Amino acid sequence: MNAWMMLGLAIVAEVIGTTALKASENFTRLGPSLVVVLGYGVAFYCLSLVLRSIPVGVAYAIWSGLGIVLITLVAYLVYDQRIDLAGLIGMGLIVAGVVVLNLFSKSSVH
C-alpha cells in the first residue's frame, strides 16, 4: 500500500479511537474502550510504516492537522458539539498549512 494511503488509514484509525475515547466514559465501558485500544494500535502501526518513506515532521503535520479537522467534524455529527467562528478559522489555517506543506515544501515526499 502506498505511504499516503497508509497515512490516511492511520488518520482515520486515530479519529475512530478518539471518538470511542469519549464514548468509553473514562474506560468504564468495555466496547468503546476496546475500540480505543484497537484504533490507536492500528493508527500507530500504520504511522510507523508511513515513516519509512515520509519524513516524520511532514507525516505528523498532516496526521495532526487532518486529525483535528476530522475529529471536530465527527464530534459535531456524533456528539452535537459546536465550534465557534474563531475555531473554524483556526482549523482553516491548519488545513491551509497542510496544503502549503504538501504543495510547496521540498520536505514533503511526492
Side-chain angles (χ1 to χ4, degrees):
M1 181 180 288
N2 147 340
W4 294 105
M5 291 172 56
M6 188 66 68
L7 181 57
L9 180 60
I11 293 167
V12 169
E14 189 266 337
V15 168
I16 290 169
T18 302
T19 302
L21 188 59
K22 174 148 175 66
S24 76
E25 295 178 12
N26 298 320
F27 292 101
T28 60
R29 297 182 59 219
L30 181 60
S33 297
L34 293 174
V35 173
V36 170
V37 172
L38 182 63
Y40 284 137
V42 168
F44 285 110
Y45 175 73
C46 291
L47 184 61
S48 74
L49 298 177
V50 166
L51 298 180
R52 292 178 180 170
S53 58
I54 298 175
V56 69
V58 172
Y60 195 74
I62 294 168
W63 158 293
S64 59
L66 295 181
I68 288 167
V69 172
L70 289 175
I71 196 61
T72 301
L73 178 62
V74 169
Y76 173 78
L77 296 173
V78 174
Y79 298 115
D80 199 34
Q81 294 179 349
R82 307 275 183 224
I83 188 162
D84 61 9
L85 181 60
L88 287 173
I89 291 170
M91 281 191 282
L93 291 170
I94 291 168
V95 170
V98 169
V99 169
V100 167
L101 179 65
N102 278 290
L103 293 179
F104 302 110
S105 174
K106 294 191 183 350
S107 299
S108 184
V109 178
H110 296 285

